[in-house]
Amino acid sequence: MSKVGLKIKSIRETQKITIEEISERSGLSVEQIMSIENDEYLPSLGPLIKIARALGVRLGTFLDDNDDLGPAICRAEESNSGISFSNGTVNARKHMEYHSLAKQKAGRHMEPFIIDIQPCDDQQFTLSAHEGEEFIYVMNGEVEIAYGKETYHLKEGDSIFYDSIVEHHVHGAPGMSAKILAVVYIPI
């Protein structure tokens, strides 16, 4: 499993930026950043985007394997390694496992993922918002997307495209797991 926190810390230290400076630039607390860097807290995409902007790097930099500018091919056997993000609650640290489909592609502006969503008994989700757009296609299972004041229920074969600036949360339908293809676009 990839260690995003270690990558963030490495970039921050290489740039000689303090945690306090990242906190000021991102609006996140020093404690939250320290927890992310130590891989104690699995953040949602929102805080990661804020940290990426504070460091002046793309979100994908935290997932990049190399600096290849050519096309990126992800073979089926390579997509098994993933990274987990939480839904913002401590007791749901393994809510989603993201499998990057383009971590070999440097300079990208969108992030394609296959995401395994685990069932979650707690339906009290923390919504997040960030710049950009998201496209989700349900490969199997059923998902719910809380988007603003609405909730959308998607089944296998359904898709949704939305502006990420509206508060949202993606999760399995109650008691269900799912697998989705998600493409996240974040403007520079």
Side-chain angles (χ1 to χ4, degrees):
M1 183 157 309
S2 181
K3 296 287 186 183
V4 171
L6 188 60
K7 187 97 173 209
I8 291 170
K9 185 175 183 176
S10 173
I11 293 167
R12 181 182 59 75
E13 289 176 346
T14 298
Q15 294 184 9
K16 296 181 176 25
I17 299 173
T18 67
I19 289 179
E20 290 76 16
E21 288 173 304
I22 295 297
S23 173
E24 186 177 308
R25 293 178 189 178
S26 68
L28 301 173
S29 71
V30 169
E31 294 78 17
Q32 188 176 12
I33 295 166
M34 288 175 61
S35 182
I36 291 169
E37 283 191 358
N38 293 326
D39 287 310
E40 296 167 358
Y41 170 68
L42 301 171
S44 63
L45 287 177
L48 287 179
I49 291 167
K50 290 177 181 179
I51 292 171
R53 289 202 183 281
L55 290 170
V57 300
R58 297 173 299 100
L59 173 66
T61 303
F62 303 147
L63 305 172
D64 289 349
D65 277 353
N66 61 44
D67 296 326
D68 189 3
L69 294 175
I73 297 171
C74 182
R75 304 286 182 198
E77 62 272 7
E78 296 168 348
S79 67
N80 289 332
S81 65
I83 179 167
S84 293
F85 295 105
S86 79
N87 64 359
T89 58
V90 176
N91 62 350
R93 294 175 62 89
K94 296 288 185 181
H95 172 65
M96 300 168 97
E97 186 163 324
Y98 289 61
H99 306 277
S100 177
L101 299 177
K103 60 186 176 183
Q104 303 88 350
K105 175 72 174 151
R108 64 190 179 274
H109 300 287
M110 61 180 179
E111 296 292 335
F113 297 102
I114 297 290
I115 304 174
D116 292 316
I117 303 174
Q118 303 304 318
C120 184
D121 294 331
D122 183 8
Q123 295 295 302
Q124 299 297 322
F125 298 109
T126 303
L127 302 180
S128 67
H130 52 85
E131 292 181 59
E133 301 171 333
E134 294 183 33
F135 170 79
I136 294 172
Y137 174 82
V138 181
M139 297 171 67
N140 61 49
E142 296 180 28
V143 298
E144 288 183 348
I145 293 104
Y147 184 77
K149 294 182 179 180
E150 301 293 326
T151 299
Y152 299 95
H153 188 92
L154 280 72
K155 295 181 179 182
E156 186 174 328
D158 293 344
S159 65
I160 187 171
F161 189 111
Y162 55 86
D163 292 316
S164 308
I165 198 71
V166 175
E167 287 194 329
H168 60 279
H169 190 276
V170 178
H171 50 272
M176 298 191 70
S177 61
K179 182 180 288 255
I180 62 175
L181 168 66
V183 181
V184 179
Y185 166 73
I186 301 159
I188 294 179

